[in-house]
Amino acid sequence: MFAYVPLLSFFVSLTLTGFVLHRWTQRRRPHLLLWGVGALFYGIGGFAEFYYGLFGWQPLVFRLWYLFGAILVAAWLGQGTAYLLLPRQWAHGLMTVLLLGSLYAAWRVFTAPLAPDQMLNGELSGHALPASVRLLTPFFNLYGTALLVGGAAYSAWIFWRKRVLLHRAIGNVLIAFGALLPAFGGAFSRAGIPYALYLGEFFGILLIFIGFWRATHPGDAAANKD
Amino acid sequence: MTAQRQYPPLYEKGIPVLLALIVVLALALLALTVLVVLGVFPA
């Protein structure tokens, strides 16, 4: 049954990708493009996990999963937040570093020897890669999670302090929680709890999707009490 | 004199509590990441 959880993550990610990129075509703001790309990376990761659960080991699928689903997804989502909140020149500088880092990570992942017998719990796991490649992951994830969670929490705090745009405060709280869940899922998975990563990813993208939807649709929350 | 704007009571109290929880969780995650990089916790 748990093999289908990543399929749900895949569908939610693709829906979010379509929603965010549609918004980008209307507004042409770079943060929307990067969030759309990040959501697409999330979907690639989910599809690779589903593929592995259903059809078993496939080296290309594993490499795609590790590159997009484990290394790049949080960093590219976080880069969107950098474009939203930081001065444009800073965001450009960070984007350059992220692009070069992503190319380096792709080279390392696609040239590394694989050991599929090292994976745990019958799930996709980075243990099939050498430790020197896996060591790249925390740096990308720290950067992306700090920006995504920090940016969402900061925005929610600002809206709350000014008591404005309640729907955005709520949406950002949900996005911050959602961004934390996959990271905790990964930690619990490493600690031996089966399918914690897959569940963390699913509930994470679900919360991010609901949060993004809430932040962009005022609804009832627009009627703040004065 | 203008009254201070307020969110509905649930959000007025709930949002800062949730934000505090997010900060605690993020700090725990940061500590975990440092342990992974140092090799104390498996990568």
Side-chain angles (χ1 to χ4, degrees), chain B residues 9-30:
Chain B
L10 175 68
Y11 301 106
E12 188 69 28
K13 294 196 168 74
I15 287 174
V17 171
L18 291 175
L19 288 176
L21 181 60
I22 287 166
V23 170
V24 170
L25 290 174
L27 289 175
L29 193 62
L30 178 65

Side-chain angles (χ1 to χ4, degrees), chain A residues 127 134 138 142 145 149 153 156-157 159-160 163-166 169-170 173 176-177 180 183-184 187 190 224-226, chain B residues 3-8 11-13 15-16 18-19 21-26 28-30 32-33 36-37 41-43:
Chain A
H127 290 81
R134 295 206 308 274
L142 189 62
T145 306
V149 176
W157 170 256
F159 292 130
W160 179 83
R163 305 299 197 276
V164 295
L165 302 173
L166 174 58
I170 296 169
V173 167
F177 268 114
L180 284 170
F184 276 102
R190 282 194 296 274
N224 290 346
K225 301 274 194 302
D226 281 333
Chain B
Q4 161 82 32
R5 285 217 277 186
Q6 294 279 305
Y7 281 164
Y11 301 106
E12 188 69 28
K13 294 196 168 74
I15 287 174
L18 291 175
L19 288 176
L21 181 60
I22 287 166
V23 170
V24 170
L25 290 174
L29 193 62
L30 178 65
L32 259 178
T33 307
V36 167
V37 171
F41 194 73

